[in-house]
Amino acid sequence: MSFSLPQALVLLVPLGLFLWKRGRRPGPPMALRWLLLVLVVGALAGPEWSLRHAGSDVVVVVDRSRSMPADAGRVASELVGLLESQRRPGDRVGVISFGREARVEQPLSEAGRFGGFTRPVDAEASDVSAALDAAGALIPPGRTGRVLVVSDGRATGADARGAARRLAARGIPVDFRHVAREDSPLDLAVLSLDVPAVVKAHEPFQLSGVVRATAPVTGTVRLERNGRVLVKGPFDFRAGPNLLPFRDLVEEPGLVAYRLTVEASGDGVVENDVGQAVLRVEGPPRVLLLTDQPEGTLAKALRTAGLTLEVRAPFPVTLDALDGVGTVVLENVDANRLGEPGLNVLASYVEQAGGGLVMTGGRSSFGEGGYRRSPVEPLLPVSLEMREEQRRTALAMSVLMDCSCSMGATVPDGRTKMEVAAEGVVGALTLLNQKDEVSVAMVDTEVHEIFPMSPVEKGLPLDEVSRGFSGGGGIYVGVALREGKSQILSSDKVTRHVLLFSDAADSEEADDYLKTLEALKREKVTVSVIGLGTEKDSDAALLKEIAARGGGRIYFAEDATSLPRIFSQETIAVARATFVDEPATLEAAADLPLLGRLPALGLPQVGGYNLTYLRPRASVAMRTLDDNAAPVLALWPRGAGRVVALMAEVDGKYTGELRAWSGLRAALEGMVRWSMGGAGEAGEAVARSERRGNQLRVTLDFAPGEALPGALPSLVLLPGDGRGAPVELPMRWEDEDRVAAEYTLPGSGSWHPVVKLGARVLRAPPVTLPYAPEFEPGNAKEGLAVLHAVAAVGGGVERLSMAGLFSQAPESEGRVALAPWLVGLAVAALLAEVAVRRFLSGPRPRRAVAPSTTAAVAVPGMPAPSVASPSPKAPAEASGAAKPGAEPAKESGVDSALEAARERARRRLGR
């Protein structure tokens, strides 16, 4: 037996003394009280009874990276099934899959059956070390167990032997089953594609590729620059490394991407046939203008200002596209056109890389443009919330959510699509005010009502919405629309709207949707659709037709994590409370001189503007003279960069007199030039980057004699596609004028190193990793050797057969908590003590109290008190009391406090 809190046993001493002093009572009640004390204190100490034969735990760790064979999942499932069939009472089996990260597919289970691999993993890496740590976390302390690794041994990340040592310290060995692709007689692999770090425009330079062949072969070589083929032709490869030299010249500044591809018949590993590199061509900082009006007022003004301007239609931006860009200008651009990764890129570009951002207003910008709850919203000097005083009319909205089985799929952060969508609905509902009405229903093949049309002021069960669930089959669109019609027509609000959320690849049974939409249109009810997927999905055309016939909007969310932002965007658009479509006169504010010499008088009138609110510590250059007194031009530094927000439309329906204002060109130029000053002067320090395999090394060299920083610089690594979070690392001194940092690149793609040096930001040349490190040239024997080394740390073995894995494992010591039993016995003892004391024992003995004799005191002027003569019966009673054999006098004391009080009252009244 053991105790989880043995210190509690010390309470026996003070509580025992208290019971002995204050709670003594003769007979059985006292024994029961002692028993009760022991039971209560014992329960507090947390006693546990140790039992042998509690079984053992086995965690199967399955490699699901791209280097594994195509049937690796089937093989692993069969192994898990064999282990489950061998379980004894108390034995448990758990399953973990891993790639770049580890995911628990099945917790430790005594009776469950593994249903297959369902959790998404990033297959670009194979972090065995992280998977072993996850397996150790799955096995509780005090339990014996084993870990079985199913992998090819092509590990990336940290050395897995360290994790194996941590498991061995707990007595948990690591076994393995080697599952790998068959070795191919030929593997043609691009080892590297080397380009200069930086060149100038029109400067010739040389680049070279190194290709390794396991056997002599004639293959094809193709070199591309930004997708355009520069070189293509045959090449005779010899066994071993082959050097391929090239020359090139680039005329325009910016980031240039090179791609080297080799092909040969019989190549067994095609994943490593590609090499990539990026080259920075230096030039003056560019201004990237994203607009649908390439010849509009804004583009013409910036060209006239002499800025290096690049005009493009809105697209999902990447850090590769922003290299060499000083400022990004968004002219009335909807956030959905940038994509969720693009919005992440913009956030990293401004806050980490020191870039500038200018956003102009319009119906497709700010809150109505979908920037509410986006990564860009925190960058803006104005807030995008929808305040209650902005609302003109109340609205009614019916939300229909797809809860079909496809919504049960998980997104990269581990949540299901249904959970992300529910989060978006809850966020949208919180934007409504007290006068609004709303209903929420989930639909698969039938309707699951969350709550009917209800006033917001009475409170909404948001917790029921946030839980959500995933049903079965696909969503029956016709059923959903009929439910929306039933709910929305029960409201008498002026603005009534139906919002349908559906899978663009699994929307079924449209049924009589045309009839339903026509009926809603007659009642002036609008319908919008949020489709999870892309416009190319099988049911996307149906969803677009529903939105078009319903007079609403259509959104496609390719990335499920964008759903909360899109739900908020649609709610703001329906409420029509964040855009003022009436003319407003402007006035200059105190911070207008920050943008240059601009006229403070005679400012124009705008035809409309995005209604926002100035953030604390932000600067305002212009505001409206209407009742809102809203900011129209605001700016502030954000992170390492700078951001300017112009809430007026530069070129469109709501421009008003702004287009004809004489100071417009100077104002636009001032906004852009101010935003470009965020990164600060780099001084003479030089940042360099170098990649060897998947190891990135970044150095920062200071000029001789330059003042060294008081604090160490830090390295921030930004993923080029915006699909990962920035990584910040401290740098260390390597020499008296050099600091450096190293990082293991987790997967393929481009990476942009940024060195933070106080208030300055230095962008090192970006690097690319063309393929996952596990595809580097090698053979199956190398992976097998890695697994043998990991297993040898804790005494593990290679498992060619699963037989005996449980029977050979030491069994755990099971622990049975005794506290619940002691509590139950304590309750029984308490009840027994009360019953015995009340019904089976006499009253508690009390000491007899002699009656007090009060002396009569004569007071002058008052008659002397008379003293009653003793009753003649008193001597007889006294003598009778003394007779032998007479009954003893009734005891004056009582056990009950209530009876004692009654007795004292009777004595006072003489009764």
Side-chain angles (χ1 to χ4, degrees), residues 284-288 310 321-328 349 355-356 676 763:
R286 310 189 315 278
V287 176
L288 176 60
E310 179 184 359
L322 298 183
D323 194 81
V325 172
T327 288
V328 177
Y349 167 75
M676 294 177 71
R763 303 183 197 177

Side-chain angles (χ1 to χ4, degrees), residues 259-284:
R259 179 183 178 92
L260 175 64
T261 306
V262 294
E263 298 175 352
S265 177
D267 189 355
V269 185
V270 297
E271 289 87 354
N272 57 18
D273 291 352
V274 176
Q276 294 178 338
V278 289
L279 169 67
R280 176 177 291 170
V281 182
E282 288 187 329

Side-chain angles (χ1 to χ4, degrees), residues 475-722:
I475 177 175
Y476 282 14
V477 174
V479 173
L481 291 176
R482 287 196 295 271
E483 170 65 14
K485 173 188 171 184
S486 172
Q487 292 292 337
I488 202 66
L489 293 184
S490 65
S491 173
D492 58 358
K493 300 297 183 183
V494 176
T495 302
R496 295 181 293 182
H497 187 68
V498 174
L499 177 57
L500 171 64
F501 166 65
S502 182
D503 193 334
D506 195 22
S507 299
E508 305 173 0
E509 300 296 332
D511 202 8
D512 58 347
Y513 75 105
L514 294 177
K515 179 181 177 181
T516 305
L517 291 173
E518 187 62 31
L520 290 172
K521 185 176 181 180
R522 286 196 302 268
E523 297 293 335
K524 298 182 179 180
V525 176
T526 54
V527 180
S528 291
V529 180
I530 299 176
L532 182 59
T534 69
E535 296 186 49
K536 299 179 180 179
D537 287 335
S538 57
D539 298 318
L542 171 63
L543 299 183
K544 287 195 288 185
E545 182 186 4
I546 292 173
R549 291 180 177 271
R553 289 154 294 276
I554 178 69
Y555 307 87
F556 286 101
E558 183 176 1
D559 189 338
T561 58
S562 66
L563 288 174
R565 176 182 58 80
I566 295 176
F567 273 104
S568 295
Q569 178 181 1
E570 173 62 13
T571 305
I572 290 174
V574 173
R576 294 180 294 183
T578 62
F579 192 87
V580 178
D581 55 4
E582 298 175 353
T585 303
L586 306 182
E587 69 171 352
D591 298 317
L592 183 62
L594 292 175
L595 302 179
R597 301 181 62 181
L598 299 176
L601 300 177
L603 296 181
Q605 187 181 69
V606 295
Y609 61 93
N610 296 86
L611 184 55
T612 59
Y613 297 88
L614 192 69
R615 293 186 188 272
R617 298 194 298 177
S619 302
V620 59
M622 294 183 189
R623 60 167 55 94
T624 64
L625 284 173
D626 57 9
D627 294 338
N628 294 319
V632 172
L633 180 55
L635 57 155
W636 72 344
R638 179 65 181 181
R642 294 181 177 182
V643 183
V644 179
L646 176 64
M647 275 59 73
E649 189 173 18
V650 176
D651 199 357
K653 177 181 178 181
Y654 300 99
T655 302
E657 300 173 358
L658 187 64
R659 187 184 292 107
W661 180 41
S662 60
L664 178 61
R665 186 188 66 80
L668 296 175
E669 179 184 354
M671 291 160 49
V672 172
R673 291 193 183 278
W674 183 87
S675 66
M676 294 177 71
E681 296 295 330
E684 297 185 15
V686 179
R688 298 183 175 89
S689 58
E690 179 185 18
R691 179 183 68 84
R692 287 288 179 265
N694 65 333
Q695 294 295 320
L696 171 65
R697 173 180 167 83
V698 178
T699 59
L700 179 65
D701 293 296
F702 298 95
E706 182 179 358
L708 299 179
L712 278 175
S714 61
L715 169 66
V716 179
L717 198 63
L718 307 176
D721 58 4

Side-chain angles (χ1 to χ4, degrees), residues 317-319 322 340-350 719-722:
V317 295
T318 63
L319 280 175
L322 298 183
E340 205 66 21
L343 295 171
N344 290 325
V345 164
L346 277 180
S348 298
Y349 167 75
V350 174
D721 58 4

Side-chain angles (χ1 to χ4, degrees), residues 29-282:
M30 192 61 189
L32 290 173
R33 291 182 180 183
W34 281 112
L35 177 62
L36 178 62
L37 174 64
V38 172
L39 291 174
V40 170
V41 174
L44 290 175
E48 295 177 334
W49 189 265
S50 298
L51 299 176
R52 298 286 180 177
H53 314 298
S56 181
D57 294 338
V58 173
V59 179
V60 184
V61 177
V62 182
D63 187 348
R64 292 176 59 199
S65 63
R66 290 178 55 198
S67 65
M68 292 289 287
D71 63 343
R74 178 188 59 79
V75 173
S77 297
E78 291 177 355
L79 294 177
V80 174
L82 290 173
L83 288 175
E84 290 174 337
S85 64
Q86 299 177 28
R87 284 180 298 203
R88 305 163 300 178
D91 290 338
R92 303 187 300 178
V93 175
V95 182
I96 289 177
S97 64
F98 72 96
R100 191 193 306 274
E101 67 286 320
R103 302 287 190 191
V104 177
E105 298 281 356
Q106 174 182 287
L108 290 168
S109 172
E110 293 186 34
R113 291 290 176 181
F114 182 54
F117 297 98
T118 59
R119 303 294 302 277
V121 297
D122 188 343
E124 285 290 314
S126 179
D127 196 342
V128 178
S129 177
L132 292 179
D133 285 334
L138 201 61
I139 301 176
R143 291 276 298 182
T144 62
R146 305 183 77 89
V147 175
L148 175 64
V149 178
V150 181
S151 174
D152 59 358
R154 306 297 297 270
T156 62
D159 191 341
R161 289 177 294 182
R165 292 188 186 95
R166 290 188 286 273
L167 291 173
R170 295 175 52 189
I172 301 175
V174 178
D175 300 335
F176 70 91
R177 176 69 174 268
H178 187 236
V179 178
R181 297 183 183 183
E182 295 183 2
D183 284 336
S184 173
L186 175 64
D187 181 16
L188 200 62
V190 179
L191 297 183
S192 64
L193 179 59
D194 298 321
V195 299
V198 178
V199 299
K200 295 181 179 180
H202 304 284
E203 176 188 349
F205 61 92
Q206 181 174 332
L207 62 156
S208 61
V210 177
V211 180
R212 179 189 175 191
T214 57
V217 65
T218 299
T220 302
V221 174
R222 184 173 70 254
L223 179 67
E224 301 172 60
R225 183 183 70 198
N226 291 341
R228 184 170 68 90
V229 177
L230 300 179
V231 176
K232 183 177 181 179
F235 190 89
D236 294 327
F237 296 98
R238 66 177 186 274
N242 298 262
L243 180 64
L244 283 68
F246 305 97
R247 294 183 65 84
D248 197 14
L249 178 148
V250 181
E251 298 179 352
E252 298 292 335
L255 197 67
V256 179
Y258 288 93
R259 179 183 178 92
L260 175 64
T261 306
V262 294
E263 298 175 352
S265 177
D267 189 355
V269 185
V270 297
E271 289 87 354
N272 57 18
D273 291 352
V274 176
Q276 294 178 338
V278 289
L279 169 67
R280 176 177 291 170
V281 182
E282 288 187 329

